[in-house]
Amino acid sequence: MDRRNTHQKELILKAVSGKGIHLTAEEIFQSVRQEDPRVGLATIYRNLNLFTQQGLIQKIEGPGWSCYDGNPVPHDHFHCVRCGQVVDYPDEYNPDMDNAAGQKTGGKILFHSTTYEGICESCLADENQAASG
Amino acid sequence: MDRRNTHQKELILKAVSGKGIHLTAEEIFQSVRQEDPRVGLATIYRNLNLFTQQGLIQKIEGPGWSCYDGNPVPHDHFHCVRCGQVVDYPDEYNPDMDNAAGQKTGGKILFHSTTYEGICESCLADENQAASG
DNA sequence: TTCTTTGCAAAATATTTGCACTGGT
DNA sequence: ACCAGTGCAAATATTTTGCAAAGAA
């Protein structure tokens, strides 16, 4: 199937791609709508799926949340359970883990993903302020 | 709120708890129904949420799948993208990772979770058989 | 008896799909 | 002109919720 470049794809890709960009489908929808209010939600999903398949972006998920990461290179994440923000965790992806896992399980490992759940620095500050105030 | 023990809770807990048990909500529903067909799906969800909150089980999720793990102790998982099966990954949970992440991000880490995505041994065998057959 | 828990059905959420139409090539 | 891509609305899948009835304590 040959692919065509469209206005919509450009807008969506521009909204979602980039290092450190972590947006939900709904956020991407809102963002794209600001540029062109005629774009439909189905188009957002269709293209996010397409971009994910093509390896231009990746979808990351955890307990009760999910978002699209504009950086397709696998890396770890930190998710704040309070504000919901997702940030890249500053560590190198370790391919040795995949090799080791392949040998241990006897299967073929494609990749792994590590997600830290916790409370981010700024939310911690908010909580301390609320406790003392 | 004081908790009451019910027949339903017993059935659900019996179906889901245990090391190496990884079942989806639907699978748990089916399993419980075999014992008592009058149990409703809402009751399944209500109690799975309750047990997760109480720390009796944990919910684990990845791209496009999720299930309940009968072992509440955090540990890594391997998910087969072909058959969908989830198995425990035989490695110790490393709390040092959480300490390191806490220091790096300035936040408070509750826990981390690593999931390997790949093709399990038995699915690899199937694929090789199909290719040669 | 009191008040949590349940079953059911409806609602809320999130995502996908059918189809006629638009628009890239 | 051809057919991939789109917008819309309906369909699907999953999980939650309102409420009257059931049943633990």
Side-chain angles (χ1 to χ4, degrees), chain A residues 3-4 6 8-9 39 43 46:
Chain A
R3 294 287 170 199
R4 291 178 189 180
T6 64
Q8 290 87 337
K9 283 183 185 177
V39 177
T43 300
R46 269 188 288 240

Side-chain angles (χ1 to χ4, degrees), chain A residues 33-51:
Chain A
R33 279 250 162 171
Q34 292 199 328
E35 305 265 326
D36 184 343
R38 282 167 303 176
V39 177
L41 185 55
T43 300
I44 302 288
Y45 277 107
R46 269 188 288 240
N47 284 306
L48 289 175
N49 285 342
L50 179 64
F51 297 155

